[in-house]
Amino acid sequence: MPAPRVIHKKTGNFLEDFRPGQIFRHKLGKTVTEGLFTTFTEFAMTTNPLAKNARYARAHGFDALVVPPGLAMLVAFSQTVEDVSENARANLEYIDMRFGAPVYVGDTLEVTTKVLGIKTSASRPNLGVVHVQSTARKNVGEPGEAVVLTWQRKVQVYKGDDAATVNAGEIAPDAIACELWLPPYDAKRDYKSLAHLSNGDTYFEDFEPATRIEHSRGRTMTSEHIHLTAILDNTSQVHCNQHMIDQNPEQYVGGQLIIFGGIPFVLCLGLSCPDIADNALGDLVYKTGKHTAPLFAGDTVFAATEILGKRDLTGRPDLGILETRLFGYKPKAKDSAERVQIFELDREIVVKRRSHYA
């Protein structure tokens, strides 16, 4: 018998495979199940009652428990990995992440991505930066179809062939309509009878600009990150394939499995929740965000938030917009008080006013 023909499959795209204007309609989609919802709201230590107490959520005008914005982002973001960042070295920046319709258990998210730009690294010609714009919609083709979120990101991607020609260039992002849906205020509802279910010091009136809040809780990462990444359908091998990294450890950050950036992202949101977002009705926009250092199993994550400003929400005297900067940290060493910043996010949150809700 002749030897079988061997095919080495290529998964994902390399730098030379992208071109400005290219559109990906990502495979699979994903329905938010109760298991997925529970796993990530509990892991991230989210405390907003909208994600914990169905009576509370319905009383505020939502259909059911509300999927936290970080989880909606994780489900949508992970769908883009195979096409955009399967062969990435690092995720560099999030840009203009805006939220729209609320997401509930049972909703199905599907994502499309447009390539906005490609640029080769001047110092490392086997690497380059790919700039994309992604949009997630829920329940496509059904009466409840709606945009859930849209965002841009920049990712550092390897070449598959060092001699390949790169389709360098840049185009403008599309104008994507995505406005945060908020339940109307109803003076007939007895909101105040539910005020004990959230923290009493996280209303709009409680925050002052030029304040920094050091959040007290932390969470140590273990190999659980592999499971969390897998149930999101994130296929990037740098998060789960140690054998691949061992073949060329100098090519990969730290020479070990790096925790998927969405994990510290959603964890920092959760760690900050009791002090910042316990009385939020939604996240409006993440203007920019970036990972400033890698996270590995064994590291412990802490968070802090700076209050940058606050402003009224037009047409909603019951709500205000809180402008914040969220930071994630890990200790530099087990026996050191020094810490390393791992994450930064400029975040605007829609928060209830005590005058109307408590």
Side-chain angles (χ1 to χ4, degrees), residues 194-235:
L194 300 169
H196 67 286
L197 295 171
S198 62
N199 281 337
D201 61 353
T202 56
Y203 290 97
F204 186 71
E205 294 92 333
D206 296 313
F207 297 102
E208 293 294 336
T211 302
R212 181 182 175 95
I213 301 171
E214 295 285 345
H215 307 299
S216 62
R217 293 170 178 158
R219 183 177 280 280
T220 301
M221 295 301 306
T222 67
S223 59
E224 66 185 327
H225 74 89
I226 301 175
H227 167 71
L228 295 172
T229 303
I231 63 174
L232 290 165
D233 297 323
N234 183 326
T235 55

Side-chain angles (χ1 to χ4, degrees), residues 86-99:
E86 176 102 3
N87 298 304
R89 180 178 183 272
N91 193 65
L92 299 179
E93 184 179 13
Y94 308 93
I95 305 167
D96 191 32
M97 183 179 290
R98 292 176 284 123
F99 294 87

Side-chain angles (χ1 to χ4, degrees), residues 1 12 43 57 75 82 89 110 115 119 128 136 266 338:
M1 294 288 290
F43 162 77
V75 172
E82 182 175 332
R89 180 178 183 272
E110 297 180 21
V115 179
K119 182 179 180 181
V266 73
E338 293 184 73

Side-chain angles (χ1 to χ4, degrees), residues 45-322:
M45 305 175 76
T46 300
T47 61
N48 188 311
L50 293 176
K52 297 289 186 177
N53 187 320
R55 180 173 77 96
Y56 183 97
R58 288 192 295 266
H60 282 79
F62 293 95
D63 292 347
L65 289 174
V66 182
V67 172
L71 176 54
M73 181 278 295
L74 284 180
V75 172
F77 182 99
S78 296
Q79 292 179 42
T80 72
V81 168
E82 182 175 332
D83 293 320
V84 175
S85 52
E86 176 102 3
N87 298 304
R89 180 178 183 272
N91 193 65
L92 299 179
E93 184 179 13
Y94 308 93
I95 305 167
D96 191 32
M97 183 179 290
R98 292 176 284 123
F99 294 87
V103 179
Y104 305 110
V105 171
D107 284 342
T108 299
L109 305 190
E110 297 180 21
V111 185
T112 59
T113 293
K114 184 174 185 177
V115 179
L116 300 180
I118 304 101
K119 182 179 180 181
T120 305
S121 170
S123 59
R124 300 183 66 178
N126 68 326
L127 277 171
V129 175
V130 179
H131 181 189
V132 299
Q133 179 183 37
S134 300
T135 301
R137 293 174 171 82
K138 73 173 186 176
N139 306 331
V140 175
E142 300 178 14
E145 178 177 345
V147 173
V148 169
L149 72 153
T150 185
W151 75 100
Q152 297 175 45
R153 70 165 166 144
K154 292 184 178 181
V155 59
Q156 193 177 44
V157 180
Y158 284 107
K159 277 186 173 182
D161 177 359
D162 287 354
T165 300
V166 174
N167 303 302
E170 190 86 18
I171 63 173
D174 292 337
I176 305 294
C178 185
E179 183 176 352
L180 180 65
W181 183 88
L182 292 165
Y185 180 80
D186 184 353
K188 296 179 182 178
R189 292 180 182 264
D190 188 11
Y191 298 111
K192 295 182 180 182
S193 68
L194 300 169
H196 67 286
L197 295 171
S198 62
N199 281 337
D201 61 353
T202 56
Y203 290 97
F204 186 71
E205 294 92 333
D206 296 313
F207 297 102
E208 293 294 336
T211 302
R212 181 182 175 95
I213 301 171
E214 295 285 345
H215 307 299
S216 62
R217 293 170 178 158
R219 183 177 280 280
T220 301
M221 295 301 306
T222 67
S223 59
E224 66 185 327
H225 74 89
I226 301 175
H227 167 71
L228 295 172
T229 303
I231 63 174
L232 290 165
D233 297 323
N234 183 326
T235 55
S236 179
Q237 295 294 285
V238 298
H239 308 313
C240 63
N241 188 338
Q242 185 64 52
H243 175 77
M244 177 193 75
I245 293 173
D246 290 342
Q247 305 313 299
N248 189 5
E250 293 182 357
Q251 179 168 307
Y252 300 98
V253 177
Q256 58 182 303
L257 294 179
I258 186 171
I259 293 175
F260 164 42
I263 301 298
F265 192 130
V266 73
L267 182 53
C268 289
L269 289 172
L271 292 173
S272 70
C273 191
D275 304 319
I276 296 294
D278 220 45
N279 279 297
L281 287 188
D283 281 24
L284 186 66
V285 61
Y286 302 155
K287 290 185 174 180
T288 182
K290 58 185 177 181
H291 300 282
T292 52
L295 187 68
F296 303 109
D299 289 339
T300 300
V301 179
F302 296 93
T305 299
E306 290 183 2
I307 309 301
L308 303 180
K310 51 194 291 190
R311 66 183 192 269
D312 295 338
L313 179 59
T314 303
R316 292 298 299 264
D318 60 308
L319 303 172
I321 297 174
L322 194 64

